Amino acid sequence: LQAWALDARRFGASGLVPWQTVNKDGSALKKADQLGLFIFDQDKEGQTVIRHSLRLKAWRDAQQLIEYVNLLQKKMSWTDDDLRQFVSQYVQLDAEVQKTNEEDAGTINYGRISPAEIDSLRSATASMLSTQ
């Protein structure tokens, strides 16, 4: 998700929209759900409660990373190309779209990117933001 957000940002996107954000039957608590950010569940009294998912955390992490790089771009007075060059020093955003059929919009696969690369980008960005 963070790779997708960075990839979209480097080509001028100002936001992403998650698809299918609610898991209404609570099944995501027992079986992985790629789409549900919020999970409807029942508490001990049978009342409906909404639980957060790790996917929601991933969205938050991606949003915060984009905020960081936007702040750095502004601080450094970088062009969009300067920002793309900076990001590419830390992460490889080569993507492949996998489709199951002709009507499928596809799933982006960033096979070459690692969590360590994202962490190094985040650290470098934070470090540069904290310097005078």
Side-chain angles (χ1 to χ4, degrees), residues 31-51:
K31 181 181 173 194
D33 179 349
Q34 293 182 344
L35 303 177
L37 294 176
F38 303 99
I39 303 165
F40 282 38
D41 191 21
Q42 302 285 317
D43 65 12
K44 292 177 185 177
E45 291 79 36
Q47 299 294 317
T48 299
V49 294
I50 299 175
R51 309 223 185 260

Side-chain angles (χ1 to χ4, degrees), residues 5 12 15 23 32 38 40 51-52 76 83 90 104 107 109 113 123 126:
N23 175 267
F38 303 99
F40 282 38
R51 309 223 185 260
H52 305 151
M76 304 300 287
L83 183 63
Y90 296 93
D104 183 9
T107 300
N109 181 7
I113 196 165
S123 286

Side-chain angles (χ1 to χ4, degrees), residues 54-126:
L54 286 176
R55 184 169 178 245
L56 181 61
K57 180 187 181 306
W59 273 95
R60 185 199 63 207
D61 290 349
Q63 183 271 333
Q64 289 175 345
L65 179 58
I66 297 305
E67 290 278 333
Y68 263 20
V69 296
N70 285 343
L71 288 169
L72 184 61
Q73 181 180 21
K74 184 176 181 180
K75 177 182 179 180
M76 304 300 287
S77 300
W78 283 347
T79 65
D80 287 342
D81 192 48
D82 294 333
L83 183 63
R84 279 190 288 276
Q85 289 178 23
F86 173 74
V87 169
S88 69
Q89 292 178 44
Y90 296 93
V91 295
Q92 297 296 314
L93 293 172
D94 300 329
E96 179 181 297
V97 177
Q98 298 171 335
K99 296 173 80 169
T100 58
N101 58 53
E102 190 60 35
E103 289 80 31
D104 183 9
T107 300
I108 300 174
N109 181 7
Y110 293 93
R112 295 182 52 192
I113 196 165
S114 72
E117 290 178 71
I118 295 287
D119 287 343
S120 66
L121 172 62
R122 183 179 284 110
S123 286
T125 303

